[in-house]
Amino acid sequence: MQQARKIQVRVQRSNPALKGEPFYETYQVPLEDGMSVANVLSLINELFAAALAYRVSCRRGLCASCLMKVNGRTRLACCEAVTGDLTLEPAFPDRVAKDLVSARERQRVASRGEGVKSDESTLDLAE
Amino acid sequence: MLKTDVLIIGSEGAGAQAAIAASDSGAEVTIVTKGRLGRSGATITATADLCADSRSIRELLGWAGDPQDTPEAFFQDIVVEGRYLNDQRQVQVLVEEVPARAKELLDWGLKVSDVRQMPGHRYPRSMYTSGQEMVRTLRRQVRRRPIRVIEDIVVTDLLTADSEVVGALGLDLERGETTTIVAKATILATGGAHNLYPFTTGPEGSTGDGQAMALRAGAELLNMEMTQFIPTALIHPPMASGNLFPFLLGPQNALRVWLLNKYGERFMAKWDPERMEHSTRDLLSIGIMTEIMEGRGSPRGGVYFSLAHLPQNLVQDFARWGAKPFLRPNWTAHGLDFKPLMDRVLRGEAIEVAPALHFFMGGVKVDEKGETSLPGLYAAGEVAGGVHGANRLSGNAFAQMVVQGKRAGQHAAQYALRQRAYLEPNLAQLSSLEERMNRPLRGELPLTPYALKRELQKIAAERVGVLREGAPLQEALERIVAMRGDDLLRVGSRSRDLRYNLEWLECLQLENMLTTLEAVARSALAREESRGAHYRRDFPMMDNARWLRNTVVKEINGEIEVTMEPVHITSVQLPRN
C-alpha cells in the first residue's frame, strides 16, 4: 500500500459551558483515498485523543446530523469527499453545544391539547 | 430525576409510533434518543416499502391491489419465509393490523409512489415510499402532541426493583451528567445491533444498546442468531462502507451482474448453477463469504462485482429506469455521488463487494402486546424478536415497526395508567450502574475502544456472520468472554472532558456490542442446523424434527445462557421433518 499523504485539518473548537472564545486546532492527518470528512474526524479522535465533538448517524446524506461548514461551505460531512486541506466549522455558530455539534432542540412540553412548542429555553430535567 | 408515565427509548419508526399511541391513550410520554429526533436510527435509511395484503391495499387504501390476496395468504408467506420459526401470535397481529396502520400513515400525509410485488410475496403488497418520508410523517405527529423529547441522552441501563422495570439511567451527552428517569412503563425502540459487523447498511448509533440493556435487566432475547445480510455491499471507499449501492444495480430485480473471485470464476456456479448470480440473498451471501474466507477474494476482502460483460449503453440506460426512486439518472443515490465509481465500471472495472449486516430478525423476546418478560418493559420494532422467524420478507421491517410501535404504545400506556404510584429506583443499583458508566473516565486505563471495536467486528464477520461453524464459534466466544471480562475493564477515554465525549461513548457502546455479540454467538452455536439467515457449515441442512424451536438467551448470575423454547403457533402447523 502507498504511504498515505498528510493533509492539514483545521477545526474550530469551543466549549461554551467553559466560556472563552472559539479557537482553532490543527491536525496533520494521513489521508486515504475515498475518505469523507466524517471519516477524517473519527481518525483525528483516534490518533490524537482530540475529543472532538461532532455528530454522524446515517452515513449517506439523509439525516443531516453531520451538517457543518467545510472550507467555508455548508456540507454534509458523511458525503463530502476529502481531497486536500480542510477547515471545519460548526454549521450554526450561534448555537453550538461543543465544537461542531449544534445544541439540541429544547422542547417545552405544553399541557395536553396545546401541542409542543420548540424553543431555545433551558430544559430543566428536574421539572 | 425526571418522572413520566411512559418512557420510550428511541425516537424513530417504532419509537415515534409508540409515543403517538401512548399519548393518544392518555399517558404522559417522554422520548429519549441518543441522537436527534428524526435524524438518528435506521428508519430514515430504509429503501423503503411497507407491506400489507394486496386485497386490503385495494379495498382500504384504494391502490392497485389484487383482491385474490388475503391476510391469511400474507400470514402464510411470512411464515414460509421465516422457515416456520415465526412467533405466529405476532404474525397474526401484523397481518390484521398493518392495513389500518397504513391507512393512518397515508392520512397523516405519507407519500407512497407505487405498489410492487417483491420476492417471497405471492401478490403485490409493497407500498413504496422512502425512509425520509416515513420519518417526516411520524415526526410531525410527535410534534403535534404533548410528547416530551429529550435528545442527546444515551440510556445506559434500565432500572429495576423486584424484577419490575421502573425507569432508566442515561448519560446526558451534552452536559456530561447522568440522568435518571423514573417511568411507570418503558418501551425499548432502539433498533438492530448493526455495528457488530464491520460492513453494515445501518447507522452509527446502532450498537446493540437495547439488546444488552434488556439482558442486564433480566429480560430475554430470542433467536439472536437470525441476522440478515445484504450480499453485495460496498467495502470501499471508506465513505461508502456498507453502502448497498451495488445491490441496487443487481443481481436481483435489475442488471444481470457477474460475481467473480480473484481468478475471474463465476463462483455462484458452485451454489446455484441454474440461477447463478440471480440466486437468493442467503445463497449469494454464503457463496461470496466462502470465496473470501477461503482466500479467493479481492484484495480488500470482498469479491468482484462486474458489469464488464454488458454493453456500456445498456448499463448507462439503467440509470434512467432502474432502482427508482433511490437511484437518480446522474448515478447519485441518497447523498452520495456514485458517478466516479460508475465511470470506472463503464471502463471495465469491477467493484469490490462483500455481505453487509442489514437487519436483525432476533431481539428482545416479546408477546403480541409488545410485553417482555419483565413487568413494565416493552419492546417494538427491530429491537424486538420473533415476528420474522428465521428470515424477513421485504416490506415487513416497516410493517413490524408501525404495528408493534402502536401496540406497545397502547399497552404501555394502559399499564402506566393503572399504576397508582411510581416505583422508587433501588439506590444501591443506581449507584452501581453510575459507577460502571463512569469507569472509562477513572484512573489510567491503557486501552482505547477503537482497536477493540475493530477486533470485535472482525470476529463477528469471520466467525459469527454469514458462515458459521462449531469450532470457530467456540473460539470467538472465548475471545468475546475475555474481552468482556478483561479488556473492557481496561478500556477508557483519554480525555476527561465530560461534555460530548465521543470516546467515552465508544467505551459504553463497546460494552453493549460485546454483550450482544456474545448473545448472537451463543445462539448460533446452540442451533445445530441451518435455517433461513443462520448457516452452519457443519450442519448445512434444516432439521425440523430437532430444531424447529426458538433459542432464548438470558443472563443468569452474570453468565449468558441459551435455552430452547417452543415456537408459538396459532393457525399454521409446524412441519415435522
Side-chain angles (χ1 to χ4, degrees):
Chain A
M1 287 283 154
Q2 285 178 323
Q3 184 69 262
R5 72 178 239 254
K6 291 233 164 83
I7 56 163
Q8 195 156 276
V9 182
R10 233 169 116 245
V11 183
Q12 187 182 93
R13 307 203 59 175
S14 62
N15 203 334
L18 304 181
K19 312 288 188 232
E21 288 302 299
F23 60 98
Y24 285 83
E25 220 155 61
T26 304
Y27 310 94
Q28 307 291 326
V29 182
L31 183 68
E32 248 185 72
D33 260 349
M35 286 178 84
S36 65
V37 169
N39 294 142
V40 165
L41 286 166
S42 177
L43 194 55
I44 289 173
N45 275 346
E46 183 176 346
L47 292 179
F48 305 118
L52 280 180
Y54 63 96
R55 293 182 203 274
V56 177
S57 185
C58 77
R59 299 181 298 125
R60 48 176 101 171
L62 294 169
C63 72
S65 295
C66 62
L67 200 68
M68 62 182 67
K69 290 212 185 80
V70 180
N71 296 338
R73 296 153 84 185
T74 305
R75 289 284 183 268
L76 297 173
C78 68
C79 292
E80 191 67 13
V82 179
T83 50
D85 294 346
L86 293 173
T87 297
L88 303 176
E89 289 152 327
F92 307 108
D94 51 335
R95 41 188 187 92
V96 171
K98 190 180 165 201
D99 300 337
L100 300 166
V101 173
S102 359
R104 60 187 157 184
E105 258 182 67
R106 311 296 199 189
Q107 288 204 314
R108 190 160 48 85
V109 183
S111 55
R112 256 182 278 279
E114 284 175 33
V116 170
K117 298 172 180 76
S118 274
D119 65 28
E120 297 297 311
S121 61
T122 310
L123 179 71
D124 182 355
L125 292 180
E127 73 195 353
Chain B
M1 195 174 291
L2 180 66
K3 291 185 165 168
T4 191
D5 284 346
V6 177
L7 171 65
I8 301 176
I9 306 171
S11 56
E12 300 312 297
Q17 182 77 323
I20 293 161
S23 180
D24 290 348
S25 298
E28 189 232 329
V29 180
T30 302
I31 293 176
V32 293
T33 171
K34 76 196 286 195
R36 302 193 60 197
L37 175 68
R39 300 180 192 281
S40 57
T43 309
I44 199 169
T45 69
T47 51
D49 52 325
L50 168 65
C51 276
D53 70 272
S54 205
R55 180 202 288 177
S56 293
I57 288 179
R58 185 189 182 85
E59 290 177 0
L60 188 62
L61 307 170
W63 285 77
D66 192 329
Q68 302 270 42
D69 195 13
T70 59
E72 290 73 32
F74 189 16
F75 186 112
Q76 274 160 18
D77 288 355
I78 294 174
V79 169
V80 164
E81 182 73 15
R83 311 301 194 271
Y84 295 89
L85 199 64
N86 315 61
D87 177 343
Q88 292 183 22
R89 305 167 304 175
Q90 292 186 51
V91 179
Q92 191 67 43
V93 160
L94 187 147
V95 302
E96 282 173 0
E97 298 187 358
V98 73
R101 299 291 75 75
K103 173 132 198 351
E104 218 161 60
L105 286 161
L106 290 169
D107 289 345
W108 286 344
L110 181 77
K111 294 190 190 45
V112 167
S113 58
D114 58 323
V115 181
R116 302 178 204 175
Q117 183 173 349
M118 294 301 284
H121 290 276
R122 278 178 287 164
Y123 296 95
R125 298 187 183 124
S126 302
M127 292 171 278
Y128 260 80
T129 179
S130 73
Q132 282 174 313
E133 260 300 297
M134 179 65 76
V135 161
R136 270 197 287 264
T137 304
L138 290 172
R139 187 176 57 197
R140 210 161 33 229
Q141 294 303 316
V142 167
R143 288 201 199 287
R144 286 187 184 159
R145 290 165 173 78
I147 294 169
R148 179 190 285 109
V149 179
I150 314 176
E151 300 174 323
D152 289 344
I153 302 281
V154 180
V155 175
T156 51
D157 272 291
L158 297 167
L159 300 173
T160 55
D162 294 323
S163 299
E164 278 209 45
V165 170
V166 304
L169 175 72
L171 169 63
D172 182 321
L173 270 179
E174 192 186 304
R175 297 181 187 199
E177 287 169 4
T178 58
T179 297
T180 305
I181 305 166
V182 172
K184 294 179 176 175
T186 302
I187 305 177
L188 289 171
T190 49
H194 297 89
N195 287 285
L196 256 48
Y197 295 88
F199 301 116
T200 175
T201 57
E204 287 289 289
S206 295
T207 50
D209 299 355
Q211 292 84 346
M213 281 193 283
L215 264 189
R216 288 196 289 268
E220 295 166 312
L221 305 181
L222 185 87
N223 297 335
M224 285 302 290
E225 71 278 21
M226 298 308 176
T227 48
Q228 188 175 61
F229 289 83
I230 291 233
T232 52
L234 288 173
I235 57 176
H236 180 81
M239 73 188 273
S241 172
N243 196 288
L244 50 57
F245 172 75
F247 197 64
L248 296 179
L249 298 184
Q252 298 192 326
N253 299 323
L255 295 176
R256 298 304 188 253
V257 165
W258 283 6
L259 293 173
L260 309 171
N261 62 19
K262 72 182 187 187
Y263 301 111
E265 291 172 324
R266 289 175 71 190
F267 54 84
M268 283 310 294
K270 292 184 275 201
W271 301 93
D272 194 343
E274 263 191 49
R275 293 180 297 187
M276 296 293 283
E277 290 89 355
H278 210 60
S279 183
T280 53
R281 291 188 198 190
D282 53 337
L283 278 177
L284 283 168
S285 293
I286 290 166
I288 292 169
M289 273 316 283
T290 303
E291 296 305 297
I292 295 168
M293 293 302 290
E294 291 183 357
R296 294 185 295 274
S298 67
R300 293 190 178 95
V303 296
Y304 296 92
F305 175 107
S306 171
L307 297 172
H309 57 291
L310 296 173
Q312 270 197 33
N313 56 333
L314 187 149
V315 176
Q316 275 162 341
D317 289 344
F318 178 80
R320 277 183 273 284
W321 65 263
K324 297 255 170 292
F326 308 107
L327 184 64
R328 288 185 282 278
N330 57 0
W331 293 115
T332 57
H334 293 152
L336 291 164
D337 179 10
F338 291 107
K339 185 153 191 320
L341 180 67
M342 287 311 292
D343 285 343
R344 300 205 327 261
V345 166
L346 288 164
R347 285 199 297 271
E349 265 186 54
I351 306 173
E352 287 182 76
V353 299
L357 188 290
H358 185 54
F359 185 85
F360 276 75
M361 276 72 69
V364 179
K365 190 175 119 180
V366 291
D367 65 12
E368 72 281 9
K369 301 194 284 298
E371 268 181 38
T372 68
S373 55
L374 298 179
L377 184 66
Y378 298 76
E382 194 177 344
V383 75
V387 71
H388 307 293
N391 211 27
R392 173 183 67 82
L393 280 174
S394 180
N396 274 356
F398 268 13
Q400 169 185 27
M401 189 175 86
V402 300
V403 168
Q404 291 186 349
K406 175 143 185 162
R407 286 208 137 216
Q410 284 174 323
H411 287 283
Q414 284 162 23
Y415 182 85
L417 293 168
R418 285 200 300 269
Q419 307 309 306
R420 278 166 291 118
Y422 292 99
L423 293 175
E424 285 300 311
N426 179 319
L427 290 178
Q429 181 190 79
L430 203 48
S431 170
S432 150
L433 294 175
E434 280 189 20
E435 220 189 273
R436 212 192 64 227
M437 191 201 294
N438 288 309
R439 189 183 59 221
L441 296 172
R442 250 196 293 286
E444 289 305 313
L445 293 160
L447 301 176
T448 60
Y450 311 99
L452 284 170
K453 178 168 87 170
R454 283 193 288 269
E455 185 187 348
L456 176 164
Q457 289 173 334
K458 186 173 197 296
I459 292 170
E462 291 180 355
R463 295 163 192 271
V464 199
V466 170
L467 296 180
R468 294 161 178 176
E469 201 171 351
L473 280 168
Q474 285 283 16
E475 285 158 26
L477 276 165
E478 277 162 36
R479 183 63 191 129
I480 293 166
V481 167
M483 286 170 83
R484 282 187 77 197
D486 177 31
D487 298 56
L488 204 53
L489 300 173
R490 301 185 297 133
V491 88
S493 164
R494 290 164 292 179
S495 167
R496 291 296 190 258
D497 188 355
L498 298 179
R499 294 169 51 96
Y500 238 102
N501 183 333
L502 296 181
E503 199 156 290
W504 183 10
L505 178 58
E506 288 276 356
C507 296
L508 298 173
Q509 290 176 160
L510 182 67
E511 173 146 26
N512 290 335
M513 288 166 71
L514 282 167
T515 302
T516 305
L517 184 60
E518 185 175 337
V520 177
R522 287 206 186 277
S523 303
L525 187 61
R527 184 176 294 282
E528 291 183 342
E529 61 150 6
S530 292
R531 182 178 299 267
H534 170 72
Y535 179 73
R536 286 280 299 259
R537 302 179 93 174
D538 43 353
F539 298 99
M541 305 307 291
M542 195 157 65
D543 181 355
N544 289 322
R546 291 177 65 216
W547 292 104
L548 190 36
R549 297 176 288 158
N550 292 316
T551 56
V552 176
V553 166
K554 194 169 176 168
E555 200 169 70
I556 299 179
N557 297 326
E559 306 267 303
I560 293 180
E561 294 182 11
V562 186
T563 51
M564 306 299 296
E565 282 183 12
V567 173
H568 288 278
I569 64 176
T570 57
S571 49
V572 171
Q573 291 306 310
L574 302 182
R576 300 282 178 79
N577 48 23

Short mmCIF file of all heavy atoms in Angstrom, two decimals, chain A residues 36-61:
data_model
loop_
_atom_site.label_atom_id
_atom_site.label_comp_id
_atom_site.label_asym_id
_atom_site.label_seq_id
_atom_site.Cartn_x
_atom_site.Cartn_y
_atom_site.Cartn_z
N SER A 36 -14.31 10.44 3.79
CA SER A 36 -15.20 11.57 3.93
C SER A 36 -14.68 12.44 5.07
O SER A 36 -13.81 12.01 5.84
CB SER A 36 -16.61 11.11 4.26
OG SER A 36 -16.62 10.48 5.54
N VAL A 37 -15.25 13.62 5.22
CA VAL A 37 -14.91 14.48 6.35
C VAL A 37 -15.22 13.76 7.65
O VAL A 37 -14.45 13.83 8.61
CB VAL A 37 -15.69 15.82 6.26
CG1 VAL A 37 -15.55 16.61 7.55
CG2 VAL A 37 -15.20 16.64 5.07
N ALA A 38 -16.32 12.99 7.67
CA ALA A 38 -16.68 12.24 8.88
C ALA A 38 -15.60 11.20 9.21
O ALA A 38 -15.23 11.03 10.38
CB ALA A 38 -18.04 11.57 8.70
N ASN A 39 -15.09 10.53 8.18
CA ASN A 39 -14.01 9.55 8.41
C ASN A 39 -12.79 10.25 9.01
O ASN A 39 -12.12 9.73 9.90
CB ASN A 39 -13.57 8.87 7.09
CG ASN A 39 -14.65 8.00 6.47
OD1 ASN A 39 -14.78 7.97 5.24
ND2 ASN A 39 -15.41 7.29 7.27
N VAL A 40 -12.47 11.44 8.49
CA VAL A 40 -11.30 12.19 8.97
C VAL A 40 -11.48 12.59 10.44
O VAL A 40 -10.55 12.46 11.24
CB VAL A 40 -11.06 13.43 8.08
CG1 VAL A 40 -10.12 14.42 8.75
CG2 VAL A 40 -10.51 13.01 6.73
N LEU A 41 -12.67 13.03 10.80
CA LEU A 41 -12.93 13.41 12.20
C LEU A 41 -12.74 12.23 13.14
O LEU A 41 -12.15 12.34 14.21
CB LEU A 41 -14.35 13.97 12.33
CG LEU A 41 -14.52 15.38 11.76
CD1 LEU A 41 -15.99 15.74 11.61
CD2 LEU A 41 -13.82 16.41 12.63
N SER A 42 -13.23 11.08 12.72
CA SER A 42 -13.07 9.87 13.53
C SER A 42 -11.60 9.53 13.71
O SER A 42 -11.14 9.17 14.80
CB SER A 42 -13.83 8.73 12.85
OG SER A 42 -13.64 7.54 13.55
N LEU A 43 -10.86 9.66 12.63
CA LEU A 43 -9.43 9.36 12.67
C LEU A 43 -8.69 10.34 13.58
O LEU A 43 -7.80 9.94 14.35
CB LEU A 43 -8.87 9.42 11.25
CG LEU A 43 -7.49 8.84 11.01
CD1 LEU A 43 -7.42 7.39 11.49
CD2 LEU A 43 -7.13 8.92 9.53
N ILE A 44 -9.06 11.60 13.54
CA ILE A 44 -8.43 12.60 14.41
C ILE A 44 -8.62 12.23 15.87
O ILE A 44 -7.68 12.27 16.68
CB ILE A 44 -9.00 14.02 14.13
CG1 ILE A 44 -8.51 14.53 12.78
CG2 ILE A 44 -8.59 14.99 15.25
CD1 ILE A 44 -9.15 15.83 12.34
N ASN A 45 -9.82 11.85 16.22
CA ASN A 45 -10.08 11.47 17.62
C ASN A 45 -9.28 10.25 18.02
O ASN A 45 -8.75 10.18 19.13
CB ASN A 45 -11.57 11.22 17.85
CG ASN A 45 -12.32 12.51 18.15
OD1 ASN A 45 -11.71 13.54 18.44
ND2 ASN A 45 -13.63 12.46 18.09
N GLU A 46 -9.17 9.30 17.11
CA GLU A 46 -8.45 8.08 17.44
C GLU A 46 -6.95 8.33 17.54
O GLU A 46 -6.29 7.91 18.48
CB GLU A 46 -8.74 7.00 16.40
CG GLU A 46 -8.07 5.68 16.77
CD GLU A 46 -8.39 4.54 15.83
OE1 GLU A 46 -9.34 4.66 15.03
OE2 GLU A 46 -7.68 3.52 15.92
N LEU A 47 -6.39 9.04 16.56
CA LEU A 47 -4.95 9.23 16.53
C LEU A 47 -4.45 10.21 17.58
O LEU A 47 -3.36 10.03 18.14
CB LEU A 47 -4.51 9.73 15.15
CG LEU A 47 -4.66 8.76 13.97
CD1 LEU A 47 -4.19 9.45 12.68
CD2 LEU A 47 -3.85 7.49 14.21
N PHE A 48 -5.24 11.26 17.83
CA PHE A 48 -4.71 12.36 18.65
C PHE A 48 -5.43 12.56 19.97
O PHE A 48 -5.15 13.52 20.67
CB PHE A 48 -4.76 13.67 17.84
CG PHE A 48 -4.07 13.58 16.52
CD1 PHE A 48 -4.77 13.76 15.33
CD2 PHE A 48 -2.71 13.30 16.43
CE1 PHE A 48 -4.13 13.66 14.10
CE2 PHE A 48 -2.06 13.19 15.20
CZ PHE A 48 -2.77 13.37 14.03
N ALA A 49 -6.37 11.68 20.31
CA ALA A 49 -7.16 11.85 21.55
C ALA A 49 -7.71 13.26 21.61
O ALA A 49 -7.70 13.92 22.64
CB ALA A 49 -6.31 11.56 22.78
N ALA A 50 -8.20 13.74 20.46
CA ALA A 50 -8.59 15.14 20.35
C ALA A 50 -9.89 15.44 21.07
O ALA A 50 -10.17 16.60 21.37
CB ALA A 50 -8.72 15.51 18.87
N ALA A 51 -10.70 14.41 21.32
CA ALA A 51 -12.03 14.62 21.93
C ALA A 51 -12.84 15.66 21.16
O ALA A 51 -13.53 16.49 21.75
CB ALA A 51 -11.90 15.00 23.40
N LEU A 52 -12.77 15.60 19.85
CA LEU A 52 -13.60 16.48 19.02
C LEU A 52 -15.04 16.01 19.10
O LEU A 52 -15.31 14.81 19.01
CB LEU A 52 -13.19 16.37 17.54
CG LEU A 52 -11.99 17.13 17.05
CD1 LEU A 52 -11.81 16.84 15.55
CD2 LEU A 52 -12.16 18.62 17.26
N ALA A 53 -15.95 16.95 19.23
CA ALA A 53 -17.37 16.61 19.28
C ALA A 53 -18.00 16.88 17.93
O ALA A 53 -17.87 17.98 17.39
CB ALA A 53 -18.06 17.43 20.37
N TYR A 54 -18.68 15.88 17.38
CA TYR A 54 -19.38 16.04 16.10
C TYR A 54 -20.45 14.96 16.04
O TYR A 54 -20.43 14.01 16.82
CB TYR A 54 -18.41 15.90 14.91
CG TYR A 54 -17.76 14.55 14.81
CD1 TYR A 54 -18.28 13.56 13.98
CD2 TYR A 54 -16.61 14.25 15.56
CE1 TYR A 54 -17.70 12.30 13.91
CE2 TYR A 54 -16.03 13.00 15.49
CZ TYR A 54 -16.57 12.03 14.67
OH TYR A 54 -15.99 10.79 14.61
N ARG A 55 -21.40 15.12 15.15
CA ARG A 55 -22.45 14.11 15.01
C ARG A 55 -22.33 13.40 13.66
O ARG A 55 -22.03 14.03 12.65
CB ARG A 55 -23.84 14.77 15.00
CG ARG A 55 -24.28 15.40 16.28
CD ARG A 55 -25.71 15.94 16.06
NE ARG A 55 -26.07 17.00 16.97
CZ ARG A 55 -26.56 16.80 18.17
NH1 ARG A 55 -26.76 15.58 18.61
NH2 ARG A 55 -26.86 17.83 18.95
N VAL A 56 -22.59 12.09 13.69
CA VAL A 56 -22.76 11.34 12.44
C VAL A 56 -23.83 10.30 12.72
O VAL A 56 -23.82 9.69 13.78
CB VAL A 56 -21.47 10.59 12.00
CG1 VAL A 56 -21.73 9.78 10.74
CG2 VAL A 56 -20.35 11.55 11.76
N SER A 57 -24.74 10.08 11.79
CA SER A 57 -25.69 8.99 12.01
C SER A 57 -25.84 8.12 10.78
O SER A 57 -25.24 7.07 10.69
CB SER A 57 -27.05 9.51 12.48
OG SER A 57 -27.90 8.43 12.80
N CYS A 58 -26.56 8.58 9.76
CA CYS A 58 -26.97 7.69 8.67
C CYS A 58 -25.85 7.34 7.70
O CYS A 58 -25.91 6.32 7.03
CB CYS A 58 -28.14 8.28 7.90
SG CYS A 58 -27.68 9.61 6.76
N ARG A 59 -24.82 8.18 7.61
CA ARG A 59 -23.66 7.98 6.71
C ARG A 59 -24.04 8.00 5.23
O ARG A 59 -23.26 7.55 4.39
CB ARG A 59 -22.93 6.66 7.01
CG ARG A 59 -22.37 6.58 8.42
CD ARG A 59 -21.63 5.27 8.64
NE ARG A 59 -22.52 4.14 8.51
CZ ARG A 59 -22.33 3.11 7.68
NH1 ARG A 59 -21.27 3.06 6.91
NH2 ARG A 59 -23.20 2.12 7.65
N ARG A 60 -25.20 8.50 4.88
CA ARG A 60 -25.48 8.56 3.45
C ARG A 60 -26.27 9.80 3.05
O ARG A 60 -27.01 9.78 2.08
CB ARG A 60 -26.18 7.29 2.97
CG ARG A 60 -27.32 6.82 3.80
CD ARG A 60 -27.95 5.62 3.16
NE ARG A 60 -27.56 4.38 3.77
CZ ARG A 60 -28.13 3.21 3.47
NH1 ARG A 60 -29.06 3.15 2.55
NH2 ARG A 60 -27.73 2.12 4.07
N GLY A 61 -26.10 10.86 3.81
CA GLY A 61 -26.63 12.14 3.37
C GLY A 61 -28.12 12.33 3.53
O GLY A 61 -28.72 13.16 2.85
#
